[in-house]
Amino acid sequence: MNPVTEVPRRLTILGSTGSIGTNTLDVIAQLGGRDSFEILALTGNGNIDLLAAQARATGARLAVTADESQYIALKDALSGSGVDVAAGRTGLDEAARLDADWVMAAIVGTAGLAPTLAAAARGADIALANKECLVSAGDLFVQAVRDGGGRLIPVDSEHSAIFQCLDDHQRHALERIVLTASGGPFRAFSREQMAGVTAHTARTHPNWSMGLKISIGSASMFNKALEMIEAKHLFDVRPDQIEVIVHPQSIVHSMVGYTDGSVIAQLGSPDMRTAIGYALTYPQRPSLNVERLDFAKLARLDFEAPDEVRFPALRLARTALTRGGLQGAVMNAAEETAFTAFVEERIGFLDMADIVETVMDGLCGIGAASTIADVFAADDEARRQALDAIATRRSA
Ligand code: NAD
Ligand code: MG
């Protein structure tokens, strides 16, 4: 068993059946599983068999499916196990409110915002994979965690890297943060080539194994765009202090530059379990069975400037950062809607950025949020306008 002490003992995983969720359970198993931790709640959506198997294996107190129509199936799958079952939004809320010390926020999309906020409000430490919480709700989300009294620990590999490189004692000397981007499967594609790609080719990432949404977002660089906004809120930096550099090997996970010219980087294999383990045992480091870097075999690390013409998502992120306020929520909601339309083959790959830009421009005067309700209202309106833009495009 791992000799880690003072790590949180009671854990909840929102989104346990996804890519981050299953990696989180793997890390927990590596660190002693049921001997070291108590799993309070696990949540999923449609994959009932996996959710039930995870709940049985971990002895979770509660298993929740976000999909209400799956409630009976989940109840049947867990009959006799002693695991409580719930469904829908109220079920997610119940999961978030159980008194776990540490909550992994690994639901995909805006659906993760309400339960993560509920966990933050009662003071849990939040291991944040769901970048959409910060992109949509920004400072309100950070404030909610602060008010609750828990810690916000990034899990996104770039932000975990920056978190690991940032020295609080030298905040005054922080000059810039540099987010690395693999460039995705279409790094060398022309716009003409990108115009014809399908969701199937777009989801094949060269280095990382991830969920569908983030894989497509890596191909379009919308994932990096969301990460720029995520970084602004996490690290309280100005937009001009956020740089993006394409690094095809995904070995340097991100960097921090200081006023003396020093750059501190965090390196590792492209394996999310390192960032998840760090978030679980912070400020300590766990001992994990992940592949070690062999520098002699690596031989080289490449870097190149991102192309904002072929990847307009990065330009749109800068626009959202400059406009501030609810533009992050608008961009995120429009992108989620456009992503769904692309996966359902209702629009092409390049249409995604056009639709997001149309919606952002249409809502550029939207202002800032005073409450979370404002965030949900902006999210709804952006989705409505994105659907209009998609319908217009299809009838053109
Ligand atoms: P995924 O699609 O593999 O899993 C998503 C999880 O959310 C699943 O448990 C699913 O059941 C649940 N879910 C889906 N729709 C839901 C809904 N409407 N309501 C409630 N639950 C729902 O996604 P993932 O790749 O694990 O990503 C999860 C989050 O972590 C995303 O915000 C993503 O950007 C972020 N992230 C992922 C990675 C990665 O390597 N996969 C890396 C960095 C950040
Ligand atoms: Mg990332």
Side-chain angles (χ1 to χ4, degrees):
M1 216 222 304
N2 247 270
V4 172
T5 54
E6 292 174 33
V7 298
R9 313 295 299 178
R10 287 167 305 169
L11 319 180
T12 279
I13 305 173
L14 303 171
S16 66
T17 56
S19 164
I20 292 289
T22 49
N23 274 308
T24 304
L25 284 169
D26 183 272
V27 166
I28 291 167
Q30 286 197 38
L31 300 185
R34 291 172 80 159
D35 293 338
S36 303
F37 303 98
E38 186 186 352
I39 302 287
L40 298 196
L42 298 176
T43 84
N45 196 28
N47 196 343
I48 296 306
D49 292 343
L50 178 59
L51 180 60
Q54 289 177 339
R56 280 182 189 274
T58 57
R61 221 189 271 173
L62 174 69
V64 177
T65 168
D67 182 350
E68 281 178 346
S69 71
Q70 299 283 342
Y71 174 74
I72 300 293
L74 184 61
K75 194 133 185 88
D76 287 350
L78 283 169
S79 76
S81 66
V83 180
D84 288 339
V85 171
R89 281 187 189 188
T90 51
L92 290 176
D93 194 56
E94 193 183 330
R97 285 177 200 278
L98 288 184
D99 58 348
D101 315 307
W102 184 90
V103 174
M104 166 56 77
I107 290 174
V108 63
T110 314
L113 179 56
T116 308
L117 275 170
R122 60 161 190 79
D125 283 346
I126 305 292
L128 191 73
N130 177 290
K131 64 196 79 182
E132 296 87 347
C133 284
L134 279 172
V135 176
S136 288
D139 296 339
L140 285 178
F141 181 80
V142 175
Q143 194 57 46
V145 180
R146 213 169 275 154
D147 290 347
R151 293 183 296 193
L152 182 57
I153 313 165
V155 171
D156 215 347
S157 59
E158 298 76 1
H159 305 73
S160 172
I162 293 163
F163 190 70
Q164 293 178 53
C165 296
L166 265 181
D167 181 343
D168 266 347
H169 297 107
Q170 297 177 353
R171 273 305 292 215
H172 62 283
L174 172 69
E175 196 166 63
R176 58 181 175 149
I177 60 176
V178 185
L179 298 171
T180 52
S182 70
F186 309 140
R187 182 170 59 89
F189 275 37
S190 66
R191 280 193 54 91
E192 290 68 31
Q193 285 173 301
M194 280 191 245
V197 302
T198 62
H200 180 72
T201 43
R203 77 165 302 174
T204 316
H205 197 277
N207 306 331
W208 297 90
S209 161
M210 309 180 287
L212 178 64
K213 169 77 170 44
I214 187 169
S215 298
I216 305 279
S218 297
S220 63
M221 291 194 81
F222 262 111
N223 181 50
K224 207 53 52 183
L226 300 183
E227 289 181 356
M228 290 165 71
I229 301 173
E230 179 185 16
K232 185 210 172 292
H233 296 294
L234 266 178
F235 304 118
D236 194 22
V237 286
R238 297 186 312 272
D240 62 284
Q241 290 178 295
I242 304 169
E243 292 178 23
V244 173
I245 188 82
V246 174
H247 166 46
Q249 291 94 351
S250 301
I251 297 296
V252 177
H253 293 150
S254 277
M255 305 176 254
V256 174
Y258 289 99
T259 48
D260 62 353
S262 291
V263 176
I264 315 280
Q266 187 258 347
L267 283 70
S269 300
D271 186 328
M272 288 307 296
R273 292 176 300 179
T274 299
I276 293 167
Y278 191 75
L280 179 57
T281 63
Y282 173 79
Q284 305 182 52
R285 284 184 189 271
S287 166
L288 288 178
N289 180 19
V290 298
E291 199 179 325
R292 301 307 195 246
L293 290 181
D294 180 337
F295 286 96
K297 272 198 196 135
L298 271 177
R300 56 184 282 179
L301 298 173
D302 296 304
F303 298 94
E304 63 195 42
D307 180 345
E308 296 194 3
V309 176
R310 286 185 303 126
F311 296 100
L314 301 177
R315 176 175 56 76
L316 294 175
R318 294 223 176 270
T319 303
L321 284 167
T322 310
R323 287 180 184 160
L326 280 159
Q327 277 282 304
V330 167
M331 177 172 153
N332 179 62
E335 195 265 330
E336 256 183 63
T337 311
F339 154 78
T340 303
F342 170 64
V343 171
E344 292 173 356
E345 297 181 4
R346 288 185 280 128
I347 57 171
F349 185 76
L350 295 177
D351 293 331
M352 286 192 284
D354 287 353
I355 284 156
V356 173
E357 186 160 20
T358 302
V359 177
M360 284 173 64
D361 286 348
L363 288 169
C364 65
I366 191 167
S370 310
T371 64
I372 291 292
D374 296 339
V375 176
F376 286 116
D379 181 281
D380 281 351
E381 181 57 20
R383 278 171 207 274
R384 201 187 57 70
Q385 294 201 13
L387 287 173
D388 282 354
I390 290 163
T392 311
R393 191 155 287 259
R394 278 166 61 80
S395 60

